[in-house]
Structures are given as C-alpha cells and as structure tokens.
Amino acid sequence: HRFLYYEPHGALAWEKLIGAGYDQDRWLAGAERFSDSWLSLFGVEGRGRLKGLEIVALGSGEAAKELNLFKKVVALPLPFLTFAPVDVSIPLLLRAATNARKLAAIRPAFSTRISAFCADFEEGKLSFARRLAGNNPNVEPGARVVTLLGNTFGNLRDEDRFLRERLHALVRPGDHL
C-alpha cells in the first residue's frame, strides 16, 4: 500500500524486495518494449512529429522502468523535454530525479526539465498538475505521455474511479496514456 512508502525505511524495503527478484528483469524488459513501441508511433526516432515531450510518471518510485523511455528520447533533438516522476516516496523520487538528471546531461543545447513531485495522485488535489510544463502558456504544447508502469493498479482502491476522474485531469486531447 502507498503508506508503506512514505518513510525512508519503506523505500529501502521496496528496493530490497525488487533487488532480490520480484521479476524486476521482466518488468524492465516490458518497459523497454513499451518505449520502442511508443516511439515507433512517431516514425524514425520521433523526428519531425514531436515538437516536445512531457513524460509524467505516476507511481514511478525510483523510475527504473520510466527511465527506459526517457533514455531513448533524451537524445532526440526536441525543443523541450520534461520528466515528471510522481510518487509518495521522497527517497525514491530523489533517486528517480538524480538518475534522470544524469541522463539529461547529454542534452546541453536543448531545454530539459526534471520536476519530481511528491503527491498522492489517487486521493490528493493533483496540485502538481498546474506545475507541469505542458500547462504553462509560455511553452509550446508538445506531446504528453502519462505512464503507470509500476504496480500502481494493484495499490488503488477504485481503479475505475481513478481512470475516470483522476487521469482525466492529467490527460489532454492528443496525449498518450
């Protein structure tokens, strides 16, 4: 349950669990296939069809799976790229943001923004959504992909309500989920 991840000990316990198995290699392989499949929607490496990209990773934890996609798009000549992991665990978010910043270091000529948000996106106000780059009127809108690559659905109380009410606030027409 999400409350297990609030404290640093919960984050460490989670990392120990996935490090000892939990089929993490299968999850990562699936994320790799997802990344390739999603990028293929935009042609050769997304060139020309993507004006910018904002990746919003709900329940990202340390974002091992989401960073598969970020690693692929960080090398593209996109005018802007945003990676926004969202989780209740501050220690895991710090790891996600640190790893994303290391990957983003190869993009010195392009605008890259890493914005980690500690939030309960199931029950909270979704206040972080106002701070997403794609909601800024000074930024030309690009594609937004909202990911749920972790075990998020297994931790939700009401998955139907979550999809209808919560995700609706994050996904704009033309975005990807």
Side-chain angles (χ1 to χ4, degrees):
H1 195 273
R2 70 181 180 268
F3 299 114
L4 296 175
Y5 305 108
Y6 283 137
E7 298 295 327
H9 296 302
L12 291 172
W14 171 250
E15 288 187 324
K16 185 175 180 181
L17 175 68
I18 64 171
Y22 207 67
D23 288 331
Q24 183 69 350
D25 55 338
R26 288 184 183 182
W27 286 101
L28 291 170
E32 183 82 19
R33 285 190 304 277
F34 157 78
S35 299
D36 291 338
S37 175
W38 188 80
L39 278 173
S40 72
L41 295 173
F42 298 96
V44 179
E45 297 179 344
R47 294 180 197 270
R49 296 206 35 218
L50 286 175
K51 295 177 181 166
L53 181 62
E54 181 172 50
I55 301 169
V56 180
L58 299 179
S60 65
E62 80 290 353
K65 294 176 264 333
E66 294 83 350
L67 288 172
N68 273 305
L69 175 60
F70 188 70
K71 178 175 45 178
K72 292 175 186 297
V73 298
V74 79
L76 298 177
L78 300 172
F80 76 88
L81 174 61
T82 298
F83 181 64
V86 182
D87 204 278
V88 296
S89 171
I90 292 173
L92 294 177
L93 279 172
L94 282 171
R95 180 151 312 143
T98 299
N99 289 335
R101 287 189 200 288
K102 288 176 187 174
L103 290 171
I106 68 168
R107 287 180 50 89
F110 299 99
S111 173
T112 305
R113 180 177 172 188
I114 311 297
S115 299
F117 297 102
C118 184
D120 179 349
F121 53 83
E122 182 183 12
E123 299 295 332
K125 294 182 181 182
L126 298 180
S127 298
F128 71 91
R130 291 190 315 261
R131 297 181 57 209
L132 293 172
N135 293 343
N136 182 339
N138 299 322
V139 174
E140 183 178 348
R144 177 182 289 167
V145 60
V146 178
T147 64
L148 292 151
L149 299 179
N151 293 326
T152 307
F153 281 111
N155 288 329
L156 296 173
R157 281 175 254 191
D158 186 343
E159 288 143 358
D160 289 336
R161 185 180 67 80
F162 173 74
L163 289 170
R164 269 191 326 273
E165 297 173 14
R166 309 305 284 176
L167 284 182
H168 186 270
L170 294 175
V171 181
R172 308 161 304 181
D175 286 344
H176 300 261
L177 173 63

